[in-house]
Amino acid sequence: MNLALFDLDNTLLDGDSDFEWSQFLISIGVLDRELFEAKNLRFYEQYKAGTLDIHEFLDFQLKPLSRHARHVLDGWHQQFMRDKIMPMITPQARALVARHRDAGDVCVIITATNSFVTAPIAREFGIEHLIATDPEQKDGEFTGGVAGVPSFREGKITRLEQWLAERGWNWASFAESTFYSDSLNDLPLLQQVKHPVAVKPDATLRAHAEQAGWPVLAW
């Protein structure tokens, strides 16, 4: 049994679903452009630089979910999938997932982006398992908080090992483990698997991958 882990944003997607979700809400008038766009850009630049305060960002990202009924959010997400996400899904990304799925590997998307945004995207890829930052819910509605450990940096390892333990697995359960990512923020998990793969990597990850002899994909 082999384990195939996939980062989502700028790895399986040709873009960032977290950033684009806020931009989408701005574009349809749900969020005020003047108040939110500059913050969204600032957080995105901090993420790329490896300086993001994940709790500050999640407060920004999850609070809007608490201001609207779940059925309204779901309707917006359908439009978001159609208009923003589908154009980001490349044939190469679909083929990569299909190769692992057809080989019988356990396939998991593991992403810092919240599960409300990413669960429909995982379904579009045909990936059953998703480890994402979980928005807190009460009676089916979002509270604006976060539940548990954010799936970010070292938190991805924590969340993955919890997920494995829930299924009676651990790292030794798998003959091979592979993780695909674009980001320096994923170096902790990339260093944990047997086969780290850099996908369209940022400059820091590219330098690390080249020094360590990791494969680099650049479709």
Side-chain angles (χ1 to χ4, degrees), residues 22-23 47 74 129 143 150-151 165 187 198 205 219:
S22 291
Q23 292 300 109
Y47 172 80
D74 289 341
H129 304 298
T143 68
S151 179
L187 276 169
L205 180 56
W219 58 60

Side-chain angles (χ1 to χ4, degrees), residues 54-125:
I54 187 62
H55 294 286
E56 182 185 6
F57 171 70
L58 289 173
D59 183 68
F60 166 81
Q61 188 75 335
L62 299 181
K63 279 293 193 292
L65 299 181
S66 68
R67 301 186 186 115
H68 305 280
R70 182 62 184 268
H71 73 275
V72 174
L73 292 167
D74 289 341
W76 289 336
H77 199 293
Q78 290 177 11
Q79 182 182 349
F80 174 67
M81 283 290 296
R82 182 181 66 248
D83 296 348
K84 299 296 183 180
I85 296 301
M86 296 304 292
M88 293 185 194
I89 300 178
T90 66
Q92 295 94 329
R94 288 191 186 275
L96 176 65
V97 170
R99 177 163 59 84
H100 282 281
R101 197 172 56 234
D102 293 347
D105 298 345
V106 176
C107 295
V108 183
I109 288 177
I110 183 163
T111 175
T113 302
N114 72 76
S115 56
F116 168 73
V117 169
T118 55
I121 304 173
R123 289 194 293 269
E124 177 62 30
F125 275 101

Side-chain angles (χ1 to χ4, degrees), residues 144-157:
V146 61
V149 176
S151 179
F152 180 65
R153 297 185 69 96
E154 290 81 3
K156 283 193 175 183
I157 298 175

Side-chain angles (χ1 to χ4, degrees), residues 22-23 25-27 29-41 60:
S22 291
Q23 292 300 109
L25 294 181
I26 290 168
S27 72
V30 175
L31 298 180
D32 182 84
R33 184 176 299 275
E34 185 174 346
L35 292 176
F36 283 88
E37 187 164 47
K39 284 186 177 181
N40 196 33
L41 288 165
F60 166 81

Side-chain angles (χ1 to χ4, degrees), residues 141-209:
E141 302 293 331
F142 296 117
T143 68
V146 61
V149 176
S151 179
F152 180 65
R153 297 185 69 96
E154 290 81 3
K156 283 193 175 183
I157 298 175
T158 299
R159 290 290 307 281
L160 175 60
E161 291 180 344
Q162 290 173 346
W163 183 87
L164 291 171
E166 289 167 1
R167 288 154 179 79
W169 295 337
N170 56 38
W171 287 106
S173 303
F174 301 94
E176 305 290 345
S177 57
T178 305
F179 180 37
Y180 298 89
S181 178
D182 71 295
S183 174
L184 64 91
N185 292 292
D186 283 333
L187 276 169
L189 183 52
L190 284 163
Q191 292 168 330
Q192 187 81 16
V193 300
K194 290 184 179 179
H195 302 290
V197 182
V199 181
K200 300 175 291 183
D202 59 40
T204 300
L205 180 56
R206 178 177 291 277
H208 193 99

